[in-house]
Every structure is written in C-alpha cells, then in structure tokens.
C-alpha cells in the first residue's frame, strides 16, 4: 500500500492490527507463495478481508498456537512465505520452544506477528499484556525483531519481513486511533534506525508506540531550550549499533523509551552497544518496571508508569540538570 497522508490517516484510525491485515491482503496479490495462519484471531488481526479473498491461502488452527508454529515451519520448508498472527504473549511466550527450534535453530523462514503487545489490553490483565517479548525473541539466534512506530511503519515492516530470508518477529503495539509518526513515504531498512529530529543535548531512542511520545516530548524539551534528537529504532535486532555509537559521540545523554519491561528490551540492547565503547554518555532507560502491577485502561497504565510526553520531558530535564 502507498504511504501518503490519506492512507496514514486511515491506518492511524484503525490501528496497527487492522493495518497489518490490510497490507497482507495487498501483498497476496503479488506474492504467490504467501500463506497466512492464525490461532482463532482472524478478526483481531484484521485478516477477514484476506480470508475472504484468498481462502485457499488462509488457515485458522484454532486456539493451538504451538501447533500453528509447527505447521508454519512445515509450510516454510516447502517453499511458502508464511505469516502467523495471534496475540503477542501467545505468539511469543507460549510458542518460545517452537520458535527457538523451528525458526532459530532450523532457520525456517516464517514471519510471525505479535498482536496488541505492550499494555494496550490492560483491562484483561497481564495474561493478555506482553512486556517480555522483545527480551525473549532477541535472545533467540537467527531472528529479526521489528517494532514499528505506526501504521506506515507496519506496512513497511511487513514488506521488509516478507522479502527477508530470515525469520522475523513483528511486534504490534497500540490500539485504534494510534497517532501517526509518518504521513509521507520514507526509507525503511531492517537494522537501520530513522532519525526524525536532530539535537545535540539528548537523544530519545524510541520504539513502537513510544516514538510518537518521544516526538511530543522533544517539542516540550525545546520549550526549555533543550535540543533533542528523536530516533525511531524500529529494528530491535539487529540493532543499529552504528547509530548508537554516533549518538554517543554527539549528545550528552541517551534515553531509551519502550512499552516493554526495562529488562531485556530496547534499553538493554542499547546498553550492550554502549558497554563496548571507550567513552559513552549516561543512559536513561524508560519503560515498564519489573512487575505485574497496574492494570486497567491503556492510557491510565502509560500515565501511571510515566510513559507520557510530559513525564518523559520531566525525567529527561531532571537527568540533564544532574550532570
């Protein structure tokens, strides 16, 4: 699908899951080997249109996620370009062994999407939220891990994943009315971060839904005379170490921002790069704590844990004042 203002407005309204389904239906027109599997989530994954248009290329395995990954690996071994989709904790944590063996170890090329990751399903509790998937998936050798910022990012991520020979995890965050970061076409390459704004005081390195929050926080910081670079780190693995190294030389503070546990996700990946440098500025890691605590409405959870533009501004400004 074309990335333009009209489409990005639509994708923003319908959210990342529905956008994901629309893009797969579009891809099926040109990718003859595309097969899509779900675990009783065709509507939740926005795949009803795909299911109707390409019934012979769609399989609903029911609520049996581990079986779904086994079938996906088998289809991949026969030359199909396979995509699976279900809610993030079931796609990643419930299927961790199948992903490790069939995709990581055996290197079968499957693209698997984690729906509604982060805390957007907070009213259902932490059985349906997922704050651990980045940590687990990036620890498995051979996997690519993508975390798009908005609808346009989802479209680009699906395109890139289907074209890449490696197994790819796409983490979908946010709900409906998800703010757009991109309203016109842009270059998206796996492993290459996108610089959205320039600044030499602080670098806000964000992923998923937090990219838009970082842009808003940068505007608030500018009102205080603080110049912030904003980076869309859409690829968690392989991480853009070159970009991190550049930012370490050009800014006074690095800040990682993610809708994920502060253990094992983007912040940890950035810290691993910084640890290998001779000199590096401090790293402030913002995300969700090591706890299953606050549940409820999405916006309330983000506010409770300080993942709003105002809270990010306050924490960054305070940390800079301490230098």
């Amino acid at each position: 699908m074309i990335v333009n203002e009209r489409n990005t407005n639509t994708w923003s309204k319908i959210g990342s899951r529905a956008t994901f389904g629309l893009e797969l239906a579009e891809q099926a027109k040109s990718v003859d080997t595309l097969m899509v599997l779900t675990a009783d989530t065709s509507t939740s994954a926005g795949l009803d249109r795909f299911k109707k248009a390409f019934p012979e290329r769609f399989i609903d395995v029911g609520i049996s996620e581990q079986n779904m990954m086994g079938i996906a690996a088998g289809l991949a071994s026969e030359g199909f370009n396979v995509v699976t989709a279900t809610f993030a904790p079931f796609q990643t944590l419930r299927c961790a062994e199948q992903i490790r063996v069939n995709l990581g170890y055996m290197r079968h090329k499957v693209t698997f999407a984690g729906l509604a990751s982060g805390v957007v399903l907070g009213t259902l509790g932490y059985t349906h939220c997922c704050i651990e998937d980045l940590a687990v998936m990036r620890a498995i050798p051979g996997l690519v891990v993508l975390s798009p910022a908005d609808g346009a990012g989802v479209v680009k991520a699906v395109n890139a994943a289907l074209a890449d020979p490696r197994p790819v995890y796409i983490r979908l965050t946010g709900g409906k009315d998800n703010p757009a970061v991109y309203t016109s076409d842009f270059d998206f390459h796996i492993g290459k971060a996108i610089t959205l704004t320039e600044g030499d005081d602080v670098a806000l390195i964000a992923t998923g839904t937090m990219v838009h929050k970082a842009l808003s926080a940068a505007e608030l910081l500018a009102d205080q005379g603080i110049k912030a670079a904003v980076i869309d780190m859409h690829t968690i693995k392989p991480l853009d170490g070159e970009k991190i190294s550049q930012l370490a030389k050009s800014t006074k503070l690095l800040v990682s921002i993610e809708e994920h546990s502060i253990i094992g996700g983007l912040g940890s990946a950035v810290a691993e790069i910084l640890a290998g440098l001779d000199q590096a500025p401090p790293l402030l890691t913002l995300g969700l704590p090591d706890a299953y605590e606050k549940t409820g409405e999405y916006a309330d959870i983000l506010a409770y844990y300080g993942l709003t533009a105002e809270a990010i501004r306050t924490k960054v400004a305070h940390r800079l004042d301490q230098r």
Side-chain angles (χ1 to χ4, degrees):
M1 294 187 291
I2 299 173
V3 178
N4 56 32
E5 187 171 0
R6 179 181 178 181
N7 283 342
T8 56
N9 284 339
T10 298
W11 301 336
S12 175
K13 291 177 182 177
I14 65 178
S16 62
R17 286 184 273 164
T19 302
F20 167 77
L22 289 177
E23 178 58 21
L24 282 178
E26 187 67 23
Q27 287 289 320
K29 297 175 183 177
S30 57
V31 183
D32 294 336
T33 57
L34 180 60
M35 288 286 296
V36 175
L37 282 66
T38 70
D40 198 34
T41 54
S42 62
T43 299
S44 298
L47 289 167
D48 285 343
R49 179 177 294 186
F50 184 101
K51 179 180 178 180
K52 183 177 181 180
F54 306 98
E56 73 285 357
R57 294 157 67 181
F58 179 87
I59 302 174
D60 189 337
V61 303
I63 304 175
S64 56
E65 294 84 1
Q66 294 165 324
N67 186 42
M68 176 179 69
M69 298 309 294
I71 295 171
L75 288 168
S77 74
E78 294 299 317
F80 290 97
N81 200 335
V82 187
V83 177
T84 70
T86 189
F87 291 106
F90 316 135
Q91 176 69 272
T92 58
L93 305 180
R94 183 172 293 169
C95 299
E97 182 180 3
Q98 286 72 29
I99 293 168
R100 173 181 176 268
V101 174
N102 294 326
L103 308 191
Y105 186 32
M106 299 179 71
R107 302 180 183 176
H108 290 306
K109 191 275 182 291
V110 174
T111 298
F112 56 113
L115 310 177
S117 193
V119 292
V120 69
L121 296 182
T123 55
L124 299 178
Y126 279 93
T127 57
H128 285 64
C129 294
C130 198
I131 64 172
E132 317 89 350
D133 50 340
L134 292 181
V136 176
M137 292 299 100
R138 77 181 192 92
I140 297 176
L143 298 190
V144 171
V145 180
L146 303 180
S147 177
D150 64 356
V154 171
V155 169
K156 294 285 188 176
V158 170
N159 273 268
L162 292 179
D164 197 282
R166 297 166 291 184
V168 181
Y169 174 52
I170 303 178
R171 184 182 203 243
L172 301 179
T173 49
K176 293 181 180 179
D177 298 317
N178 199 25
V181 172
Y182 301 98
T183 57
S184 59
D185 202 12
F186 61 100
D187 291 331
F188 182 105
H189 300 286
I190 290 175
K192 294 295 181 182
I194 300 172
T195 301
L196 299 174
T197 66
E198 301 281 355
D200 56 11
D201 289 322
V202 59
L204 307 180
I205 306 166
T207 194
T209 51
M210 292 297 108
V211 176
H212 189 271
K213 303 289 187 188
L215 285 170
S216 299
E219 294 179 0
L220 297 175
L221 289 166
D223 293 338
Q224 296 181 242
I226 298 171
K227 293 174 286 186
V230 176
I231 310 299
D232 176 6
M233 193 62 74
H234 54 72
T235 304
I236 307 302
K237 182 186 179 184
L239 196 73
D240 191 346
E242 181 179 354
K243 174 59 69 175
I244 300 300
S245 298
Q246 291 173 355
L247 294 169
K249 295 176 182 177
S250 62
T251 57
K252 304 169 188 174
L253 174 68
L254 300 184
V255 183
S256 63
I257 314 171
E258 59 193 309
E259 191 183 324
H260 183 275
S261 169
I262 57 173
I263 297 175
L266 172 63
S268 295
V270 171
E272 290 163 11
I273 300 295
L274 296 179
L277 303 179
D278 292 334
Q279 291 185 326
L283 171 65
L284 174 62
T285 57
L286 303 181
L288 296 160
D290 182 29
Y292 299 123
E293 192 176 75
K294 174 67 175 177
T295 60
E297 296 295 335
Y298 185 37
D300 293 338
I301 299 175
L302 295 181
Y304 181 84
Y305 289 122
L307 293 177
T308 64
E310 179 60 37
I312 293 168
R313 178 204 66 80
T314 300
K315 292 174 183 178
V316 170
H318 177 70
R319 186 61 179 267
L320 284 171
D321 287 342
Q322 292 179 322
R323 287 181 55 80

